[in-house]
């Protein structure tokens, strides 16, 4: 009795909320024929990811604790364990899509990197206008790579501090050269990109080759719109990925 009731509820929710079949939530269909929606290509997904990097400012840095901890005041059993910690980034190298990070020497993420860890930046899209009808439908991704220190020429030439402080006015307090915390400018050199665009029946889920990530142009980033980016009600969330002409996205779809 209960099973039947919840099954019927699931079915009605599935159609009312335009949810995918359960087996298509976290995986793409194996054939094009099976897809109920147009699934963006890998390159289109790369453009979405680059726009998210451009508009978002905060993500999670994941690193791995080293095995040695002689001088560290930390539990011994965390060696080899990943830890994800919130941090700021800035999209200050549009030519490559390598995020810029202000590395504070005493922060755990950067201590782990100094001890040899690679690093992953994970981020997700937050609509400025609407709560999503399902957060699982919203793009998120991880950039896997390593940190590289910027040279003084790059710092001056690319106006890194101005770019970063535009995203993070408060970071002006801990820019390199401040009196309290030792810090330096680094880039996350992106090696691999793992993307979950949303539900698998209408969004690409999988690896994006780094060449696709790097080849995205400013024009492409400016042109695309992310779910909920426009102020026209949550209908836009449902129709996201049911490709809409750009004009229709501008106005007049308020529900
Ligand atoms: C970091 O990643 C590179 C591949 O990009 C790999 O060769 C290296 O072993 C990794 N370093 C650690 C400490 O896992």
């Amino acid at each position: 009795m209960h099973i039947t009731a919840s099954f019927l509820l699931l079915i009605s929710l599935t159609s009312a909320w335009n949810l995918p079949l359960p087996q298509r939530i976290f995986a793409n269909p194996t054939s094009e024929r099976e897809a109920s929606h147009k699934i963006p290509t890998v390159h289109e997904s790369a453009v979405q990811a680059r726009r998210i990097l451009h508009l978002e400012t905060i993500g999670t840095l994941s690193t791995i604790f080293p095995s040695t901890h002689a001088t560290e005041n930390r539990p011994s059993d965390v060696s080899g364990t990943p830890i994800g910690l919130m941090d700021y980034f800035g999209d200050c190298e549009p030519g490559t899509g390598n995020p810029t990070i202000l590395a504070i020497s005493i922060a755990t993420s950067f201590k782990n990197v100094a001890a040899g860890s690679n690093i992953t930046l994970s981020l997700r899209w937050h609509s400025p206008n609407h709560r999503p009808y399902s957060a699982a439908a919203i793009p998120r991704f991880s950039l896997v790579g390593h940190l590289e220190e910027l040279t003084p020429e790059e710092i001056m030439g690319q106006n890194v501090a101005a770019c970063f402080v535009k995203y993070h006015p408060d970071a002006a307090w801990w820019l390199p050269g401040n009196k309290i915390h030792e810090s330096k400018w680094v880039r996350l050199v992106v090696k691999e990109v793992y993307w979950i665009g949303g539900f698998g029946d209408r969004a690409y889920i999988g690896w994006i080759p780094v060449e696709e990530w790097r080849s995205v142009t400013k024009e492409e980033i400016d042109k695309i719109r992310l779910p909920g980016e426009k102020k026209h009600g949550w209908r836009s969330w449902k129709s996201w990925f049911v490709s809409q002409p750009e004009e229709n996205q501008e106005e007049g779809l308020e529900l």
Side-chain angles (χ1 to χ4, degrees):
M1 202 52 198
H2 268 108
I3 290 172
T4 314
S6 38
F7 183 70
L8 286 176
L9 180 69
L10 180 67
I11 294 293
S12 57
L13 275 178
T14 299
S15 53
W17 290 73
N18 193 22
L19 290 171
L21 293 170
Q23 64 270 34
R24 291 289 152 251
I25 291 181
F26 299 115
N28 289 136
T30 44
S31 73
E32 217 170 273
R33 211 158 42 83
E34 216 196 311
S36 46
H37 298 68
K38 177 196 174 287
I39 297 180
T41 63
V42 170
H43 187 73
E44 286 163 351
S45 303
V47 177
Q48 291 164 23
R50 287 287 301 270
R51 186 165 178 87
I52 294 171
L53 185 83
H54 187 64
L55 296 176
E56 291 287 342
T57 57
I58 290 174
T60 299
L61 291 178
S62 299
T63 56
I64 293 177
F65 283 109
S67 51
T68 52
H69 60 98
T71 60
E72 290 291 320
N73 177 22
R74 66 164 167 88
S76 58
D77 59 359
V78 297
S79 294
T81 304
I83 182 167
L85 293 166
M86 178 281 250
D87 222 313
Y88 293 177
F89 65 86
D91 180 27
C92 299
E93 297 197 349
T96 56
N98 286 333
T100 303
I101 298 169
L102 185 47
I104 314 290
S105 303
I106 59 154
T108 294
S109 301
F110 307 108
K111 281 201 295 198
N112 286 349
V113 167
S117 173
N118 283 323
I119 191 162
T120 296
L121 170 65
S122 302
L123 53 159
R124 64 187 179 112
W125 168 235
H126 299 84
S127 160
N129 298 314
H130 302 285
R131 267 179 58 123
Y133 72 100
S134 168
I138 303 312
R140 62 272 196 189
F141 63 103
S142 290
L143 302 173
V144 182
H146 65 268
L147 295 185
E148 185 177 274
E149 194 170 347
L150 271 59
T151 66
E153 294 74 34
E154 287 169 335
I155 294 167
M156 294 298 287
Q158 299 170 13
N159 231 338
V160 172
C163 169
F164 199 84
V165 169
K166 184 165 57 89
Y167 282 112
H168 303 286
D170 53 328
W173 290 97
W174 54 92
L175 292 183
N178 80 85
K179 291 202 174 70
I180 299 164
H181 292 303
E182 189 194 329
S183 64
K184 62 185 182 188
W185 293 112
V186 296
R187 66 170 61 89
L188 195 165
V189 179
V190 177
K191 286 273 174 61
E192 308 288 347
V193 181
Y194 189 71
W195 167 257
I196 301 178
F199 292 141
D201 68 333
R202 66 203 70 180
Y204 173 63
I205 296 175
W207 295 93
I208 294 177
V210 72
E211 308 79 57
E212 294 285 354
W213 168 262
R214 292 199 188 120
S215 72
V216 173
T217 64
K218 183 174 182 302
E219 290 68 38
E220 289 177 301
I221 294 173
D222 287 346
K223 207 164 149 233
I224 202 165
R225 289 295 172 269
L226 297 162
E229 201 176 331
K230 295 277 173 130
K231 294 190 174 71
H232 55 70
W234 66 268
R235 182 189 184 179
S236 61
W237 297 97
K238 295 209 293 181
S239 52
W240 171 240
F241 292 137
V242 183
S243 35
Q244 285 186 352
E246 184 75 7
E247 313 82 80
N248 289 359
Q249 297 195 351
E250 293 301 331
E251 267 148 13
L253 269 177
E254 202 72 53
L255 272 194

